[in-house]
Amino acid sequence: MGTAPPVRARLVLLTLCSGLFMAMLDNLVVITALPAIGAELRTGTAGLQWVVEGYALVYAALLLGGGALGDRWGRKPVYLAGLALFTGGSALCALAGSLGALVAGRAVQGLGAALLTPGSLAIVRHVFTGDAERARAIGVWSGVSGSGLALGPVVGGPLVDHFGWASVFWVNVPVGAAGLVLAFRVLPRVPRSAARADPAGQATVALGLGALVYALVEGPVRGWGDARVAGAGAVALLGLAAFAAVERRAAAPMADLRLLADRGAGPAVWAGFAVSFGFFGLGTFLTLHFQYVLGLSPTEAGWAMAPCTLATAVVSVVAGRLCARHGPRPPLVAGLLLVAVALAAFAGYGTDARFADFGWLMAVLGAGLGLVFTPVSVAVLGAVPPERAGVASATAGMAREVGGVAGVAVMGAVLTARFEAVLRDRLPPGSGSDATALVHAVTAGGGRGLGRAGEAGAAGERIGRVVNQSYVAGLHLAALVSAGLLAGVAVVVLVVMRGSRGDIGG
């Protein structure tokens, strides 16, 4: 089996899965804990977006550098460094006493994840050399790491209820320590490439993405005409344009932009972007909906997410087998359409809907995610030679993470704009409440965020209901925008990937 005996190869795969399991566990554990974090640290939806984005932004911006470092310095030592940083960052998050300290800890976690993720897939590419066995291995890798998504909300809810939000970070520390010992003993030494450093590419992509996210997250809070927001938007455009120009001219580019022109890998990369845009954008605000609007506890909200994440874990394994038999295009198209349908259908349920009414959509959403994640990796790794596997994996991973970053930021901006418009229209006449002040309370927090915007008494309850209705109206519009993006990318995948290398029967 590949370049290692079967038992050894399976042990390597198990070791790599453990690191990804921890990273995936942390993603949705944090989402479940957001309302508790907001209450204790007195922050609103904008601050909670930074808790999510602090991790995802650093991960996305440095993922390409992580792939290049692994190619140049060795994938095993870079993987070990990443796992150590992620574990240490988790401890920093658990000890944080302010929003700034928590976001800083999340950034350290993101740096660690950026180092360990591309090396993980590159080692799989080295150990499993046959196309069919590689597809099955990636399916297992995706499924086991996806189980972290499945367990994240289920484990996170009770942890938050009984031990506080810091416990969702402490849980990573023993898992990370055990993973370090296992990885040091088991992972093989993968041959290094002669890739050169690309500091200009790293600097421009970090600058462009950071400025873009700042503008999208802070725009609804500070106002789109604010000088800092407008300046960040301009810096984002210049930084990302400079990144593209630098990478086209670099002798050893950090990003494999050739993937975007490949008929097989290019549409798959965009599929990864789109599905992360929809899932992480919706997931961040859906947990607020569950706990603030529907009144679920963190434990109940965790179980509400479980059908989605469990379906993702199970279907990811099936998707690997589908890719081995039919190629990546059919599961990619089916997965994108399932996620689009789930998001669009969710927009049909209002504030009076119970979870029992729309819970089935969570399983549909998860099945769609599972059908996309594995084929993206299969298509990308099948399009490059082994020596470029790390950079190619990082490029595809960056697209997924940028999709998640953009989803949280863009859907947050759409939600907030719609929220304010509906709130202005529905506030009871003579209520004495100002829509702008209520929107600021929900976005900026200060102890009066979503779920605490209304004052006591009957009038306060009426205002609270209007705030919830307006929030859900914004969430619906954001879901529809995301569904349209996913449907459009599904059409691109269906048409462009037809007849490409790896499209069996195309």
Side-chain angles (χ1 to χ4, degrees):
M1 180 187 243
T3 60
V7 174
R8 179 78 173 184
R10 294 189 188 101
L11 189 55
V12 169
L13 182 60
L14 175 63
T15 302
L16 296 172
C17 287
S18 68
L20 269 294
F21 174 88
M22 183 174 66
M24 293 301 102
L25 181 79
D26 193 69
N27 265 330
L28 291 193
V29 163
V30 170
I31 288 178
T32 306
L34 287 178
I37 292 171
E40 184 169 326
L41 301 185
R42 299 176 65 81
T43 187
T45 55
L48 297 179
Q49 282 180 256
W50 279 117
V51 174
V52 177
E53 300 283 49
Y55 172 86
L57 176 60
V58 174
Y59 184 24
L62 301 181
L63 190 58
L64 293 173
L69 286 175
D71 285 340
R72 187 181 183 192
W73 291 347
R75 285 152 190 170
K76 180 176 179 177
V78 170
Y79 178 92
L80 291 171
L83 190 53
L85 280 169
F86 190 93
T87 304
S90 297
L92 291 175
C93 290
L95 295 169
S98 65
L99 178 65
L102 177 57
V103 173
R106 292 285 286 160
V108 175
Q109 285 185 307
L111 172 59
L115 294 177
L116 72 88
T117 304
S120 178
L121 265 183
I123 293 171
V124 169
R125 177 73 166 78
H126 172 76
V127 173
F128 299 90
T129 57
D131 290 341
E133 67 180 13
R134 186 189 308 125
R136 287 191 292 269
I138 292 174
V140 173
W141 180 87
S142 299
V144 174
S145 61
S147 68
L149 292 174
L151 290 176
V154 176
V155 171
L159 284 174
V160 173
D161 274 332
H162 296 292
F163 303 106
W165 61 263
S167 62
V168 304
F169 297 106
W170 281 127
V171 74
N172 289 330
V173 176
V175 176
L180 276 169
V181 173
L182 188 60
F184 182 79
R185 295 174 61 91
V186 168
L187 296 186
R189 294 281 179 179
V190 180
R192 303 179 186 184
S193 71
R196 287 183 285 178
D198 185 15
Q202 182 62 80
T204 52
V205 71
L207 178 66
L209 287 177
L212 177 63
V213 171
Y214 179 87
L216 290 173
V217 173
E218 295 297 326
V221 179
R222 300 178 182 275
W224 295 105
D226 180 83
R228 284 169 290 187
V229 172
V235 170
L237 291 175
L238 292 174
L240 294 176
F243 171 68
V246 166
E247 293 305 286
R248 282 198 301 268
R249 292 174 172 80
M254 184 174 59
D256 195 347
L257 298 182
R258 293 169 294 179
L259 288 176
L260 301 179
D262 186 274
R263 290 185 60 192
V269 171
W270 284 110
F273 172 92
V275 79
S276 292
F277 183 103
F279 175 66
F280 286 102
L282 178 70
T284 299
F285 301 104
L286 193 59
T287 189
L288 302 180
H289 173 71
F290 284 158
Q291 295 186 47
Y292 285 145
V293 178
L294 300 186
L296 302 182
S297 69
T299 299
E300 292 168 335
W303 281 107
M305 292 290 292
C308 171
T309 52
L310 183 60
T312 300
V314 173
V315 176
S316 291
V317 179
V318 176
R321 300 183 182 277
L322 291 175
C323 287
R325 180 174 298 181
H326 303 291
R329 185 170 69 105
L332 272 177
V333 173
L336 288 165
L337 291 178
L338 281 176
V339 176
V341 167
L343 291 171
F346 176 76
Y349 295 93
T351 56
D352 56 345
R354 300 169 301 170
F355 178 75
D357 298 328
F358 63 83
W360 63 276
L361 289 174
M362 303 303 292
V364 175
L365 176 64
L369 293 170
L371 284 173
V372 171
F373 287 153
T374 300
V376 169
S377 298
V378 171
V380 169
L381 289 181
V384 298
E387 62 272 13
R388 295 296 295 167
V391 172
S393 173
T395 303
M398 177 189 166
R400 287 194 298 268
E401 286 303 313
V402 170
V405 169
V408 174
V410 172
M411 291 180 73
V414 171
L415 186 156
T416 302
R418 177 63 175 163
F419 169 55
E420 183 169 7
V422 174
L423 187 61
R424 290 184 185 280
D425 184 58
R426 294 185 181 180
L427 268 181
S431 64
S433 297
D434 178 67
T436 301
L438 284 175
V439 170
H440 184 77
V442 171
T443 56
R448 296 184 67 246
L450 185 64
R452 301 182 298 280
E455 302 296 338
E461 290 181 3
R462 286 196 298 272
I463 292 173
R465 284 195 295 271
V466 171
V467 168
N468 286 346
Q469 291 166 359
S470 303
Y471 177 83
V472 171
L475 185 60
H476 286 170
L477 180 60
L480 289 173
V481 168
S482 184
L485 172 67
L486 283 152
V489 174
V491 172
V492 171
V493 172
L494 180 65
V495 174
V496 177
M497 284 187 75
R498 184 185 299 276
S500 66
R501 179 176 52 184
D503 180 25
I504 299 175

